[in-house]
Amino acid sequence: MEWIKLIIGFFIANLLGYGGGPSSIPLMYEEIVPHYHWLTDGEFSNMLALGNALPGPIATKVAAYVGFQIYGWAGVLAALLATVLPSAAALIVLLRVLQKYRQSKVVKGMTLLVQPVIAIMMAVLTWQMGKGPAASIGIWQTLIIAAIAFWAMERRKIHPALVILAAFVYGGLVLRYSM
């Protein structure tokens, strides 16, 4: 029965995840943490950080990890299929529709006006994921790390994987020398 939940959870998250990974992550979070309780907030944050440091689409890495945790290799297959199939089917159908109506103001409006919703979904996810570190290491250290990460990625154009790696190293050093 758990594999059916995996398929439904990842199918819904990826069917509604307009725009790919950034919009799918909050939807997957809703299915993985509060809805099915497959992972905790902290486990989801760790998995997401590690997944972002690896190459490839984040949605498939999340699906593979959670699928394996829940149902082993069969879970990996079920979660991956549920993640990939909606996107592949939608891509084929939508490309044909968009080609036909690409100059339509309705189509342009739909794609533009869904973007604020996705931005809010990402902000809510950021808030949820920020609560754990703020409680563990304190609000000031969390804000300083976030500010440095923002500066590194947005101003200095450092690749996010390198910023995540630097945070891992920093976290290891802080824990090692604080004990």
Side-chain angles (χ1 to χ4, degrees):
M1 188 66 166
E2 202 68 32
W3 64 274
I4 293 174
K5 291 179 184 177
L6 276 170
I7 291 172
I8 292 169
F10 280 99
F11 183 82
I12 289 171
N14 288 287
L15 181 66
L16 300 174
Y18 175 83
S23 62
S24 296
I25 292 169
L27 295 169
M28 286 189 287
Y29 171 84
E30 284 300 317
E31 296 296 319
I32 294 167
V33 179
H35 187 216
Y36 289 114
H37 306 288
W38 290 325
L39 299 177
T40 65
D41 278 324
E43 291 169 332
F44 186 85
S45 296
N46 290 339
M47 182 249 332
L48 194 60
L50 186 58
N52 273 322
L54 299 171
I58 189 67
T60 54
K61 292 180 277 189
V62 169
Y65 179 83
V66 173
F68 189 78
Q69 289 291 107
I70 302 309
Y71 205 65
W73 288 106
V76 171
L77 184 60
L80 282 173
L81 284 174
T83 298
V84 173
L85 286 180
S87 300
L91 179 65
I92 293 166
V93 171
L94 288 176
L95 280 176
R96 290 188 179 189
V97 171
L98 288 176
Q99 275 297 68
K100 186 174 181 180
Y101 299 106
R102 69 176 164 234
Q103 299 303 320
S104 166
K105 288 183 181 182
V106 173
V107 171
K108 289 179 182 178
M110 287 168 50
T111 57
L112 276 176
L113 296 179
V114 76
Q115 291 175 4
V117 174
I118 294 168
I120 292 301
M121 288 170 43
M122 293 301 292
V124 168
L125 178 64
T126 300
W127 179 257
Q128 290 290 342
M129 291 180 66
K131 287 181 187 178
S136 297
I137 63 173
I139 187 71
W140 290 111
Q141 188 166 5
T142 300
L143 290 174
I144 290 169
I145 292 169
I148 291 169
F150 177 81
W151 171 81
M153 289 185 290
E154 288 297 313
R155 300 288 185 225
R156 301 291 299 166
K157 303 296 183 205
I158 297 173
H159 194 279
L162 295 175
V163 176
I164 291 169
L165 183 61
F168 275 135
V169 170
Y170 174 73
L173 291 173
V174 166
L175 283 177
R176 179 177 182 193
Y177 292 111
S178 66
M179 295 183 139

